[in-house]
Amino acid sequence: MALASCGRLAASLLSLAAILFFLLAGHPAAATGKTGQVTVFWGRNKAEGSLREACDAGTYTFIVISFLDVFGHGKPTLDLSGHPIGPIGADIKYCQSKSIMLFLSIGGPGTDYSLPTAQSATDLADYLWFAFLAGHRPGTHRPFGEVELDGIDLFIDNGPADHYDVLATRLWSYNKEFRGRTPAQMSATARCRYPDPRLGRALATGVITRINVRFYGDGYCAAYWEQEWDKWTAAYPQSMVYVGLPASEKTVGYVHPKNLYYGVVPVVQKAANYGGIMIWERYADKQSNYSGYAIQWA
């Protein structure tokens, strides 16, 4: 019994320490209306164009490269829909020079990923740190070269909750080596129905600073989005919460730009932790220019 109590106390202290570090590291101020922040997912269709082209669109402040969709068993593997890996490092550097932040999303719609043990979560965190973030270790291949991404996004659509909380806290622990910046930032892209059972434990760590809530692909959420939005923003007041919308009218949950302006934006901007708009995904947005409307009102 004493050991269990100590374990719970240690976990609580770790979560508290993470939150304190998060605040000291410069958590963005709470939003009180328009933020101008528009996030897009890139890497889902080769016809979407290069990452550099996406950054030159002038409508994105944040790009999520997707996906690292094999991990937990075997070699971690990227699936970027046929995009050549070679130019991406230079494109990342170019995008960051334009003050656009870039995260790598892990997971996605596939089924070839899992973190069945705490050790597998720790191993993946170490791999992500040394292969994509600010860590540099001899012998570790960096797919995008020496350039450093800004963080990792959890897009966990399949499998059990596993040990994503261990992954998140392990990645966040690397930040203690730095002053004035947070090189291992964390975001989560959740299904709209609150709570998302696969991300609950990771979100409970308090180290995930951005939550993209996917208000699409689900008829229930298309009808009751405001109710679910209120749940997400109330549950995670220390995280910036983003409204995830599709750029294609063929996707369930599509909101016409006029309805976005008159119906959605006035509601979501009332939340103190409203972060902006997340768009799924670059190829559809390239066809519809949905972000052109979103950036005006986000």
Side-chain angles (χ1 to χ4, degrees):
M1 186 60 128
L3 288 176
S5 299
C6 289
R8 287 192 294 270
L9 177 60
S12 299
L13 290 174
L14 177 60
S15 180
L16 177 60
I19 294 171
L20 289 173
F21 182 89
F22 171 58
L23 295 172
L24 293 173
H27 178 262
T32 54
K34 183 179 168 85
T35 66
Q37 300 294 306
V38 175
T39 296
V40 72
F41 275 74
W42 176 91
R44 294 295 78 223
N45 191 316
K46 191 175 181 180
E48 69 197 334
S50 69
L51 182 59
R52 180 179 293 247
E53 181 184 335
C55 292
D56 279 338
T59 54
Y60 311 128
T61 55
F62 194 98
I63 295 179
V64 184
I65 299 171
S66 53
F67 290 105
L68 182 87
D69 66 347
V70 177
F71 57 80
H73 52 87
K75 181 180 179 181
T77 304
L78 285 166
D79 175 11
L80 301 181
S81 305
H83 284 287
I85 300 294
I88 293 179
D91 287 357
I92 291 170
K93 186 175 182 180
Y94 173 78
C95 296
Q96 290 173 331
S97 75
K98 297 171 72 72
S99 299
I100 297 171
M101 297 187 70
L102 293 105
F103 276 33
L104 172 66
S105 189
I106 70 168
T111 58
D112 290 330
Y113 58 85
S114 64
L115 293 177
T117 66
Q119 187 60 53
S120 65
T122 297
D123 291 344
L124 178 62
D126 292 348
Y127 170 74
L128 293 170
W129 174 251
F130 289 109
F132 296 101
L133 300 175
H136 296 266
R137 180 171 62 186
T140 299
H141 173 62
R142 296 183 64 89
F144 302 145
E146 294 304 298
V147 68
E148 300 171 2
L149 290 171
D150 298 295
I152 299 298
D153 173 71
L154 304 182
F155 193 119
I156 310 305
D157 241 13
N158 290 295
D162 282 349
H163 293 81
Y164 294 100
D165 53 337
V166 177
L167 171 71
T169 52
R170 175 71 173 185
L171 273 173
W172 191 265
S173 71
Y174 280 110
N175 292 322
K176 67 179 180 293
E177 302 173 13
F178 295 81
R179 290 181 178 272
R181 71 187 184 105
T182 310
Q185 298 186 48
M186 297 290 301
S187 68
T189 299
R191 294 188 178 191
C192 72
R193 298 197 197 195
Y194 177 84
D196 186 325
R198 294 184 177 89
L199 290 171
R201 285 164 50 184
L203 289 168
T205 63
V207 304
I208 293 176
T209 61
R210 304 167 62 103
I211 304 173
N212 304 307
V213 183
R214 292 180 280 158
F215 291 99
Y216 58 87
D218 185 328
Y220 172 87
C221 289
Y224 299 102
W225 68 269
E226 188 172 347
Q227 172 182 299
E228 296 306 309
W229 170 257
D230 288 343
K231 291 178 182 178
W232 281 102
T233 53
Y236 301 103
Q238 297 302 322
S239 297
M240 304 305 288
V241 185
Y242 294 73
V243 185
L245 298 172
S248 171
E249 61 184 9
K250 297 178 181 179
T251 303
V252 173
Y254 175 79
V255 178
H256 188 278
K258 183 177 180 180
N259 293 333
L260 176 65
Y261 178 71
Y262 288 106
V264 175
V265 169
V267 173
V268 298
Q269 287 185 348
K270 293 177 183 178
N273 54 338
Y274 161 71
I277 295 173
M278 181 276 279
I279 293 176
W280 179 265
E281 37 68 39
R282 168 62 182 162
Y283 174 73
D285 188 45
K286 188 176 180 180
Q287 310 305 307
S288 66
N289 190 35
Y290 199 80
S291 63
Y293 300 102
I295 193 65
Q296 300 177 57
W297 311 319

